[in-house]
Amino acid sequence: MSKLIVILNGPNLNLLGQREPETYGYATLADIEADCAALSGELGLVTRFEQSNHEGALVDMIQAARGDAAGVIINPAAYTHTSVAILDALSAFDGPVIEVHLSNIHKREAFRHHSYVSARADAVIAGCGAGGYALALRHMAGLVSG
Ligand code: DHK
């Protein structure tokens, strides 16, 4: 049976394609979801792709992944820089975690340079735009193989 990878997206990422495209690109979240679904098939994985603007809802999604997912890929968006709750939920998940940012957060404002999630992430991808999700999925395939 194919392993399930949960791909989670935080606040305002539902506006991708319209929101500050010079920073976040022109791909929509639906475009990224379609690319991830196609690639996961090639990699022998299945993906569940979710987005919420609410911290508690993201915590619930991470907790749900404990039951059925082999790995979690997460772009926590603004919660990257604020959320101990998301860090704690990820710490209660046993499988690999990959943190993705569309932009290079280290090249931006100082308040974006710190990530709570990085304390748990097995890998971090930043600054590769929408393509960062495909890089994360390819790396995840290796982490969950075997
Ligand atoms: C997305 C956001 O919404 C910001 O709050 C983060 C992240 C960066 C991204 O680059 O994907 O600071």
Side-chain angles (χ1 to χ4, degrees):
M1 202 169 87
S2 298
K3 289 184 176 164
L4 172 67
I5 307 302
V6 171
I7 305 177
L8 299 177
N9 294 279
N12 299 304
L13 295 175
N14 54 311
L15 297 180
L16 281 183
Q18 306 164 43
R19 169 196 182 211
E20 301 176 77
E22 65 288 352
T23 300
Y24 297 110
Y26 287 92
T28 66
L29 201 61
D31 294 333
I32 295 172
E33 180 174 7
D35 288 349
C36 287
L39 179 59
S40 63
E42 283 174 37
L43 295 170
L45 301 170
V46 289
T47 45
R48 181 163 75 221
F49 197 94
E50 299 181 290
Q51 188 273 334
S52 178
N53 292 326
H54 304 280
E55 185 176 21
L58 291 161
V59 168
D60 288 343
M61 290 169 186
I62 296 164
Q63 290 189 8
R66 280 162 52 89
D68 57 7
V72 170
I73 294 171
I74 183 165
N75 182 346
Y79 290 136
T80 304
H81 319 297
T82 63
S83 182
V84 176
I86 288 175
L87 168 62
D88 286 352
L90 290 168
S91 295
F93 176 75
D94 282 338
V97 172
I98 302 180
E99 176 182 353
V100 173
H101 304 286
L102 295 146
S103 64
N104 179 359
I105 56 175
H106 302 288
K107 199 178 173 186
R108 300 182 62 195
E109 304 98 316
F111 67 84
R112 295 185 202 274
H113 294 179
H114 177 259
S115 165
Y116 282 97
V117 170
S118 291
R120 167 63 181 90
D122 298 290
V124 181
I125 296 167
C128 298
Y133 288 77
L135 293 170
L137 256 181
R138 288 186 188 282
H139 187 63
M140 182 62 82
L143 293 177
V144 300
S145 68

